[in-house]
Amino acid sequence: MVSVWLRRIAVTCAANGITAPWVKAAAWLRFATVMVVPGWWSYADSVVTYRNMSPIVPLWILLIFPPCASVYVARIIGYSSDALVFDRKWTAHDIRRLALWRTVSSTLPLLLFTLGIDGFRERNTVAVLWLVAGGLIALLAVARLHGVEGVRFRHVKSGDFYKRAFVLAKRMGVPLRKVAVVPFGRGHLTNAYSRSNEIAITDDYGHWLSGSRLDFVVGHELAHAKNKHGRKKLLITIAVFVAVSLPAFALPHVQGSWHVLFNIGVIVAPVLILESVSRRFEYVADREAVELTGDVIAAAQSLIDLYRRADVPAEMGMMQRLLVSHPGLWQRIEAISRNGKLSAHDLARIRAGFVKTAAASEQ
């Protein structure tokens, strides 16, 4: 139902040539796909408990297949709406694959996690296998999703980006080994990546970023590599899910509204915590990139160009702020302005320039 409602918003946005209302409304689809897990979990538990269906329909079948199918259909609608609003060149086959691997990489692992929690409630230590299975499936499916999205690293050994990356890496003390570009592709990717001793940017960056602005983007990804944010996030993810699993051993098997609240808490809390950790890492990377380049104005303008290029709204509602991995544009600019001692006058001038450009583009 949420995805159908969002589809109407997407059609309106596409007809009027605007994107911000769709991006803000799409946060509700993210919220719905998270909440469907504890909601269906509570319903499935009640069906098995009160209707004695477990001999006929095993809990794992009842729990996994209906919500996965529902979320898969919702994501097909969501991706097709995204393609409509942003004029992405995805085919119907692309959209189905994107929806499939997004569901397998997020919804399915959460559902396997719920099976593990149910097993813990029954003091069945074998249930830990559900948790391990969920984690492995998430890792493999995320890699597959990136492949479908077109995130393919092509290593380069020349060019301005290559040279700047190694110069800045040496200044930052990062043992950089490889530099790559990622095709812009049919999905209109505009992003930068960091993994271990390697960084990459999409190949459209060179068309609209150069000099100090490009240095900020490179420095941001080098900061992720230097601080091993990818590895830390993986370890934090494991720790968070283990931590929220422990109450299933300690607490009695509650019923009624307390049961529903428990189910919501052990699913929603990890999601919110991990997105918060991701946003914190972005602030850290921004700060160290500004320290590296020493040009806070270029950093702010680089972020503005990036958000505008990616059609990400400068202002975000509460739902977006809680469920996104990156802070909003102005939150990031205000953070680097404090660290880089950008004056209130300069900050106001940057904001006014952004608003003026945005207004001109909508005319």
Side-chain angles (χ1 to χ4, degrees), residues 32-188:
T33 56
V34 171
M35 291 303 297
V36 74
V37 175
W40 186 258
W41 181 18
S42 301
Y43 174 74
D45 274 350
S46 68
V47 168
V48 170
T49 302
Y50 299 117
R51 300 184 186 178
N52 195 28
M53 288 184 62
S54 55
I56 303 172
V57 182
L59 178 60
W60 69 271
I61 292 179
L62 183 65
L63 184 60
I64 289 177
F65 285 97
C68 280
S70 174
V71 169
Y72 173 62
V73 172
R75 285 198 167 112
I76 287 178
I77 297 173
Y79 275 115
S80 62
S81 299
D82 227 30
L84 181 65
V85 172
F86 295 110
D87 192 30
R88 306 194 195 281
K89 306 304 180 183
W90 291 325
T91 65
H93 181 59
D94 291 333
I95 290 172
R96 289 193 296 269
R97 293 171 68 207
L98 287 165
L100 172 64
W101 290 109
R102 177 71 68 180
T103 302
V104 174
S105 67
S106 56
T107 304
L108 179 57
L110 286 178
L111 290 168
L112 293 175
F113 174 70
T114 65
L115 287 170
I117 294 294
D118 274 337
F120 290 156
R121 285 170 171 169
E122 298 170 1
R123 305 298 189 269
N124 182 3
T125 56
V126 178
V128 73
L129 295 178
W130 288 113
L131 305 185
V132 173
L136 291 176
I137 287 174
L139 288 175
L140 295 174
V142 166
R144 192 72 187 93
L145 175 64
H146 287 167
V148 175
E149 289 174 336
V151 181
R152 298 179 179 86
F153 283 28
R154 296 190 313 206
H155 297 117
V156 296
K157 294 186 177 180
S158 62
D160 187 47
F161 169 55
Y162 176 85
K163 295 175 183 177
R164 296 306 301 162
F166 278 97
V167 168
L168 294 172
K170 185 176 181 179
R171 285 170 53 185
M172 189 178 273
V174 178
L176 186 66
R177 293 185 178 181
K178 296 179 181 179
V179 173
V181 295
V182 176
F184 184 61
R186 296 196 301 269
H188 296 179

Side-chain angles (χ1 to χ4, degrees), residues 1-17:
M1 292 178 63
V2 172
S3 57
V4 172
W5 168 65
L6 290 174
R7 178 68 180 183
R8 296 178 61 184
I9 296 176
V11 170
T12 302
C13 288
N16 295 324

Side-chain angles (χ1 to χ4, degrees), residues 293-308:
T293 62
D295 193 338
V296 65
I297 293 180
Q301 193 59 56
S302 176
L303 288 171
I304 288 173
D305 292 342
L306 173 61
Y307 275 62
R308 183 182 291 127

